[in-house]
Amino acid sequence: MTTLMMILGVVIFAVGLLFSIAWHELGHLSTAKLFGIRVPQYMVGFGPTVFSRKKGETEYGVKAIPLGGYIRMIGMFPPGADGRIESRSTSPFRSMVEDARAAAFEELRPGDETRLFYTRKPWKRVIVMFAGPFMNLILAIGLFLTVLMGFGVTQQTNVVSSVSSCVIQASANRDSCKASDPESPAKAAGLQPKDKIVSFNGVATDEWNALSDEIRKSAGDTVPIVVERGGQQQTLTAKIATNQVPKKDASGQITEGYVNAGFLGFTAATGVVRQDFGDSVTWMSDRVGDAVDSIIALPAKIPALWDAAFGDGPREQDSPMGVVGAARVGGEIFTLDIPPTQQLAMSLMLVAGFNLSLFLFNMLPLLPLDGGHIAGALWESLRRNLAKVFRRPDPGPFDVAKLMPVAYVVAGVFVCFTILVLIADVVNPVKIS
């Protein structure tokens, strides 16, 4: 049964992955056609074609390796300075430029002269190239909102799970009380497991972070605490202790380090809580920030990733993870002993996170990524507008093909990194903690 559930999770993630890729390319396709650019191919995957069907002037198909997708647009790069599409050079770097230029005109037909990508205004090219990542962002937002507002997320609540017997500093690394440890305010006040804290010091709250903040700022104060116990409300009184507790960031997440603050002395129970729209937006904003930080920190994580793949190093929970690793996690989700609705919610979260990463990664201003083409179009627009301002000749389209040697280097780095992540995902995978 566990194996079947694992397979089910992998299949669900794979379907989500393929849909995400197709959805991304649909953004490019729809806007390209909107601006009159001819698109001969729309493909999901790479390698040999498994299925294809031609409708109108576009061939739609699925290829064998589901690790990406593409659309082929006519005239991605302008002709050379001599007006020729194809010429030969003994320089290997120049050959890369010429090969890219020739491929852009490979399927040129009579009448296509007015349907070339590079002939469109820069703002139209920006829209075409941005539309793909933007579709991933829209899908990520839709899935996140579905889970947060429809299913809910597991988080700490105002319900008491357990009551501490004494006051122990967070850095003490022990759970048992010593004779010298003072009694915890929660125990002294009579707080019990399953109590739900309705208000604290006159402040009504049903949200854990808000309650935690109130407790932390009440060090040394004697406060009334209203709890719901057995369907009835009771008022307890507690003198809040000052204790060393973990630091929290602005979003309420525990961070490294400690701080002296108010301490009541109980463990909050966890539960599945549906978020309202405002809380969902805040949660998503935090995840975007985390994702941006992860991309910035990516180079610094390569040594640890290498050690995890080829050495004895552990695989960190925040280690870079590829499609294989994500599929494995997707399978593990369905083997967890949690309600099916939460299994589905976690799986949707995984696909949403994948789409958010696709959006941010593709927006990097590097060829051959979408962000590289966007940067080229914006640079062309800047050059042409400056030429108008200073009454200089129009410099013409920016020849992105000249950057192809750089694009090949970038692609080579991405391929090497992808292989490293793949090996780590196989030999030392990230596992659900």
Side-chain angles (χ1 to χ4, degrees), residues 111-413:
D112 282 345
E113 294 78 8
T114 60
R115 305 189 62 192
L116 305 175
F117 176 79
Y118 84 89
T119 61
R120 295 302 179 262
K121 291 183 181 296
W123 67 268
K124 291 185 177 181
R125 278 180 277 152
V126 168
I127 290 176
V128 171
M129 300 313 297
F130 179 70
F134 183 67
M135 294 290 272
N136 291 123
L137 179 62
I138 292 297
L139 182 56
I141 291 173
L143 290 175
F144 279 139
L145 288 177
T146 297
V147 173
L148 294 169
M149 301 180 68
F151 291 88
V153 292
T154 301
Q155 63 181 40
Q156 289 179 297
T157 66
N158 288 3
V159 176
V160 177
S161 174
S162 61
V163 177
S164 302
S165 297
C166 60
V167 178
I168 303 175
Q169 290 189 346
S171 61
N173 292 323
R174 60 183 173 89
D175 296 323
S176 57
C177 296
K178 294 181 178 180
S180 58
D181 293 331
E183 186 179 36
S184 75
K187 183 177 181 181
L191 201 64
Q192 298 179 9
K194 298 185 179 180
D195 282 351
K196 181 180 180 181
I197 298 178
V198 178
S199 73
F200 179 89
N201 199 21
V203 179
T205 175
D206 59 359
E207 200 267 325
W208 163 248
N209 275 331
L211 173 60
S212 174
D213 290 342
E214 289 295 325
I215 294 172
R216 288 183 175 227
K217 70 182 184 182
S218 300
D221 296 342
T222 299
V223 300
I225 304 173
V226 178
V227 300
E228 187 177 288
R229 181 184 299 169
Q232 296 183 340
Q233 290 190 358
Q234 299 183 27
T235 301
L236 309 177
T237 302
K239 182 175 176 58
I240 305 302
T242 300
N243 192 23
Q244 184 190 70
V245 296
K247 284 184 178 180
K248 296 199 305 180
D249 59 21
S251 63
Q253 300 297 313
I254 299 297
T255 60
E256 293 184 4
Y258 304 98
V259 63
N260 288 325
F263 178 79
L264 182 55
F266 74 96
T267 301
T270 58
V272 178
V273 181
R274 291 182 180 179
Q275 310 295 302
D276 59 27
F277 182 75
D279 288 338
S280 298
V281 171
T282 301
W283 188 95
M284 288 187 292
S285 299
D286 292 339
R287 297 297 80 75
V288 170
D290 293 342
V292 170
D293 291 341
S294 295
I295 291 177
I296 295 173
L298 207 56
K301 294 181 180 180
I302 291 178
L305 185 64
W306 179 276
D307 196 27
F310 299 104
D312 299 325
R315 187 76 185 274
E316 302 294 338
Q317 286 296 115
D318 62 347
S319 174
M321 185 169 55
V323 173
V324 172
R328 183 187 182 106
V329 170
E332 288 183 356
I333 287 172
F334 279 80
T335 65
L336 297 177
D337 186 19
I338 56 177
T341 54
Q342 285 306 297
Q343 291 176 341
L344 179 59
M346 288 182 68
S347 185
L348 292 176
M349 277 288 196
L350 184 64
V351 176
F354 176 79
N355 276 271
L356 178 59
S357 298
L358 271 182
F359 167 74
L360 294 174
F361 188 70
N362 271 289
M363 291 309 296
L364 293 175
L366 299 170
L367 287 174
L369 301 175
D370 295 327
H373 290 282
I374 292 172
L378 292 176
W379 174 244
E380 177 185 323
S381 179
L382 178 63
R383 288 197 317 167
R384 287 184 150 179
N385 283 311
L386 286 176
K388 286 181 180 179
V389 171
F390 293 103
R391 297 182 179 181
R392 294 177 180 174
D394 185 353
F398 174 64
D399 192 359
V400 182
K402 291 181 179 179
L403 299 178
M404 288 311 296
V406 177
Y408 283 123
V409 172
V410 172
V413 171

